[in-house]
Amino acid sequence: MNQDSHSSPVQSERWVGRATVVEVAGDIDLHRSSQFQQSLLDVVDRNPERIVVDLGGVGYMDSSGVASLVKLLSRTRKTGVGLRLVGLTRRVQSVFEITRLNTVFEICQTEEEALA
Amino acid sequence: MNQDSHSSPVQSERWVGRATVVEVAGDIDLHRSSQFQQSLLDVVDRNPERIVVDLGGVGYMDSSGVASLVKLLSRTRKTGVGLRLVGLTRRVQSVFEITRLNTVFEICQTEEEALA
Amino acid sequence: MKSVLNRPIVIHLPSSPSYLPVMRATLGKLCELVGFDRETAGAVVLSMDEALTNIIKHAYGGAEDGVIDIELAPVGEPEPEAVKISLRDYGPAVDPKKIKSRDLDDVRPGGLGVHIIKKCMDTVEYAPADGGGTLLTMVKKLNSQKGKDKV
Amino acid sequence: MKSVLNRPIVIHLPSSPSYLPVMRATLGKLCELVGFDRETAGAVVLSMDEALTNIIKHAYGGAEDGVIDIELAPVGEPEPEAVKISLRDYGPAVDPKKIKSRDLDDVRPGGLGVHIIKKCMDTVEYAPADGGGTLLTMVKKLNSQKGKDKV
Ligand SMILES: Nc1ncnc2c1ncn2[C@@H]1O[C@H](COP(=O)(O)OP(=O)(O)O)[C@@H](O)[C@H]1O
Ligand SMILES: Nc1ncnc2c1ncn2[C@@H]1O[C@H](COP(=O)(O)OP(=O)(O)O)[C@@H](O)[C@H]1O
């Protein structure tokens, strides 16, 4: 079994003070986006002050993966939780650019920056 | 244009004394094996004492690529030229094992060993 | 063996999200052979993925027992100059005018697929297919890659 | 979306060596999704490549305007337990008994494809196809991977 198709997109969750760093891996497409979204919303329920989504392990993401992140964004805005994205691979970065969501999300270059 | 499909499988040829090291790259299949074979036989015509074929850049080879190397082997045997293979990736190594040609070719782990 | 890349690959794909990675691998390699750079190949693959996703969601309503007819065609002689992707579903007829992208400024989940497709491909055409369903035809030209002049 | 991998992909491929890398990418990704380890997936991909090469060389004599019908089928419920590959050509009828590997000890170029296929796959069957040509069916089971017990 390989991570791209079978396991959860959210590989691990790690607390740094009151922030939580969520590590995502594998391709995120229609096959995995609803599980991705559910895992992300579960993170909000644990009441962090900030969520850092590390997309370093995501080689491919389409608009259904982006939609899961937009859903997370509106949830975090509602509940006053900070949200930052980090580790975008070139392909994932370009999906954000094409959909102009790179100006909507806070996208950081490093985890340090995202946690600062 | 990418190396797998369009350019010559033999990327470069480098003389080390009277031996020549031939660097091969890209997938070798029916599409590229005849060009591969021709380039290899051209090397014999330059009268080296030994030919070292470096397959480090070959991620995939099927029996038509193997056939080109067998053709080279019989030519070198006829003309008294030494022939050694080096840098076999795991997949290429396994094709030699399946066809039991790993016992027919001199396969070396390093270029130093192949040139020794 | 000297051979050319000038004929289509025809595929009948189950309308299940499970197969999307397979189709991405197929088209990604074909784009590489045609001569697209990595970035452009990625955009073409993304477009097909978005279009297949829309067919699965909208034409088949998530039913996985439908079939999507796919044609992946390198176009041009003697060397390919473009790739043409045709996707045909057997879903209910839909007015092509209804298939459009939404206002991007309205940030909400969904509604981005058609925008992505139109942004990434050179031509995109939806038409009712003979015998029912929708035929989507999209083309990406080699010379429309970034860093090359548009024709 | 919860979905399963239990239906075949059907492909009509031009009989040209140019398309071999595309088919390798397709099957390689499918084998990964089915759950094969890298090494076994490589052996399955190699087998299909050898069989396609033989069809191009022997069934079509190198003519690139033929078509090869390919079916790539994950087999098993609810999770796939094997992959079945069917290749059908429209070449002259050939006696399946004539398709055999040679003695490996006789070192010469060629004559290794059928040996590789039989060595790598669990079952290999050549049969005359309905309406002419040859149908090759080969199966590789997940549980025949190295490191797992044979059933
Ligand atoms: N293949 C299709 N068949 C029917 N309707 C479609 C198809 N593709 C797209 N549409 C319509 O176009 C709209 C916009 O699609 P898209 O931009 O991908 O956003 P989304 O799928 O998230 O709604 C869809 O909501 C749907 O109404
Ligand atoms: N699809 C096919 N149609 C007709 N004959 C075939 C086919 N595949 C294999 N053969 C026959 O089987 C023989 C052995 O094939 P193979 O082991 O791949 O070696 P090679 O192709 O190098 O001769 C071939 O020489 C050919 O006569």
Side-chain angles (χ1 to χ4, degrees):
Chain A
M1 297 294 154
N2 72 91
Q3 64 178 34
D4 275 20
S5 55
H6 296 280
S7 65
S8 168
V10 170
Q11 296 280 298
S12 72
E13 211 187 317
R14 176 164 46 86
W15 287 84
V16 181
R18 302 233 37 221
T20 184
V21 180
V22 178
E23 274 170 17
V24 187
D27 293 4
I28 317 273
D29 60 8
L30 184 62
H31 186 40
R32 294 173 92 230
S33 58
S34 57
Q35 201 190 355
F36 180 48
Q37 177 169 317
Q38 192 50 56
S39 307
L40 292 175
L41 298 182
D42 288 348
V43 173
V44 184
D45 291 343
R46 288 189 268 283
N47 293 311
E49 245 169 39
R50 184 183 297 172
I51 299 173
V52 175
V53 180
D54 180 350
L55 298 169
V58 179
Y60 180 85
M61 185 183 283
D62 69 10
S63 73
S64 47
V66 169
S68 302
L69 288 168
V70 171
K71 182 85 189 164
L72 173 67
L73 179 67
S74 56
R75 181 73 61 92
T76 54
R77 280 180 174 173
K78 236 175 261 164
T79 53
V81 176
L83 174 63
R84 290 178 176 177
L85 309 183
V86 71
L88 279 68
T89 55
R90 216 161 136 171
R91 280 186 87 162
V92 172
Q93 175 72 32
S94 88
V95 178
F96 279 85
E97 284 164 11
I98 292 164
T99 55
R100 286 195 241 135
L101 288 166
N102 53 334
T103 59
V104 173
F105 283 91
E106 278 190 71
I107 298 175
C108 301
Q109 297 308 310
T110 62
E111 189 177 305
E112 291 69 49
E113 192 188 329
L115 288 170
Chain B
M1 296 296 151
N2 72 90
Q3 66 180 32
D4 275 18
S5 54
H6 296 283
S7 66
S8 168
V10 171
Q11 297 279 297
S12 72
E13 209 187 319
R14 176 164 46 85
W15 287 84
V16 180
R18 303 233 38 223
T20 184
V21 180
V22 178
E23 274 170 17
V24 187
D27 292 4
I28 317 273
D29 60 9
L30 185 62
H31 186 39
R32 295 174 90 231
S33 58
S34 57
Q35 202 189 353
F36 180 48
Q37 177 170 318
Q38 193 50 56
S39 307
L40 291 175
L41 298 183
D42 288 349
V43 173
V44 183
D45 291 343
R46 287 189 268 282
N47 293 313
E49 244 169 39
R50 183 182 299 172
I51 299 173
V52 176
V53 180
D54 180 350
L55 298 170
V58 178
Y60 181 85
M61 183 182 284
D62 69 9
S63 72
S64 46
V66 169
S68 302
L69 288 168
V70 171
K71 182 87 189 160
L72 173 68
L73 179 67
S74 57
R75 181 72 62 92
T76 54
R77 280 180 173 172
K78 235 175 262 163
T79 54
V81 177
L83 173 64
R84 289 179 176 176
L85 308 183
V86 72
L88 279 66
T89 56
R90 214 159 136 173
R91 280 185 87 161
V92 171
Q93 175 72 33
S94 88
V95 178
F96 278 85
E97 284 165 12
I98 292 165
T99 54
R100 285 193 241 137
L101 288 165
N102 53 334
T103 58
V104 173
F105 283 92
E106 277 189 73
I107 298 175
C108 301
Q109 296 308 311
T110 63
E111 189 178 306
E112 292 68 52
E113 190 188 328
L115 288 169
Chain C
M1 204 178 261
K2 176 79 192 138
S3 69
V4 287
L5 208 61
N6 62 359
R7 301 184 60 225
I9 303 177
V10 174
I11 301 169
H12 306 289
L13 192 79
S15 62
S16 160
S18 304
Y19 294 85
L20 293 172
V22 179
M23 286 312 303
R24 292 198 296 268
T26 304
L27 181 59
K29 183 53 85 170
L30 185 65
C31 284
E32 183 190 319
L33 297 182
V34 163
F36 286 101
D37 59 42
R38 264 167 103 74
E39 194 181 337
T40 311
V44 173
V45 166
L46 177 63
S47 300
M48 178 191 65
D49 174 289
E50 296 290 346
L52 291 173
T53 294
N54 276 343
I55 290 173
I56 294 170
K57 288 193 304 181
H58 303 300
Y60 292 118
E64 304 200 17
D65 58 351
V67 169
I68 307 170
D69 294 342
I70 303 173
E71 191 180 288
L72 307 177
V75 179
E77 296 271 3
E79 295 293 330
E81 289 151 17
V83 67
K84 187 175 104 188
I85 301 166
S86 312
L87 304 180
R88 189 256 164 95
D89 66 59
Y90 295 84
V94 59
D95 181 357
K97 285 199 257 0
K98 295 246 164 78
I99 303 177
K100 52 170 196 267
S101 63
R102 64 169 171 80
D103 183 0
L104 286 194
D105 293 333
D106 169 22
V107 177
R108 57 171 177 79
L112 299 169
V114 172
H115 171 80
I116 290 174
I117 295 168
K118 293 199 168 157
K119 188 99 182 174
C120 293
M121 300 298 287
D122 292 325
T123 65
V124 178
E125 197 188 301
Y126 289 91
D130 287 345
T134 302
L135 173 66
L136 165 59
T137 311
M138 17 189 207
V139 174
K140 184 71 180 179
K141 296 182 207 147
L142 265 186
N143 67 12
S144 71
Q145 290 188 123
K146 270 185 202 163
K148 304 207 179 181
D149 290 335
K150 294 240 181 199
V151 168
Chain D
M1 203 177 264
K2 176 79 196 139
S3 69
V4 285
L5 207 62
N6 62 359
R7 303 184 58 226
I9 304 176
V10 174
I11 301 168
H12 307 289
L13 192 80
S15 62
S16 159
S18 303
Y19 294 85
L20 292 173
V22 179
M23 286 312 305
R24 292 197 296 268
T26 303
L27 182 59
K29 182 54 84 171
L30 185 66
C31 284
E32 182 189 319
L33 297 182
V34 164
F36 287 102
D37 60 42
R38 265 167 102 74
E39 194 182 336
T40 311
V44 173
V45 167
L46 176 63
S47 299
M48 178 191 64
D49 173 290
E50 295 290 345
L52 290 172
T53 294
N54 276 345
I55 290 173
I56 294 170
K57 289 192 304 182
H58 303 300
Y60 292 118
E64 303 199 18
D65 58 351
V67 169
I68 307 170
D69 295 341
I70 302 174
E71 192 180 288
L72 307 177
V75 179
E77 295 273 6
E79 295 292 331
E81 289 151 17
V83 67
K84 187 175 103 188
I85 301 166
S86 312
L87 305 179
R88 189 253 162 94
D89 67 59
Y90 295 84
V94 59
D95 181 357
K97 284 197 258 0
K98 295 246 164 81
I99 304 177
K100 53 171 194 264
S101 64
R102 64 169 172 79
D103 182 0
L104 288 193
D105 293 334
D106 169 24
V107 176
R108 58 173 176 78
L112 298 169
V114 172
H115 170 80
I116 290 174
I117 295 168
K118 294 199 168 157
K119 187 100 183 172
C120 293
M121 301 298 287
D122 291 325
T123 66
V124 177
E125 196 187 303
Y126 289 90
D130 286 345
T134 302
L135 173 66
L136 164 58
T137 311
M138 16 189 209
V139 174
K140 184 70 180 179
K141 295 182 209 147
L142 266 185
N143 67 12
S144 70
Q145 290 188 118
K146 271 185 202 162
K148 304 205 180 183
D149 290 336
K150 294 240 180 198
V151 168

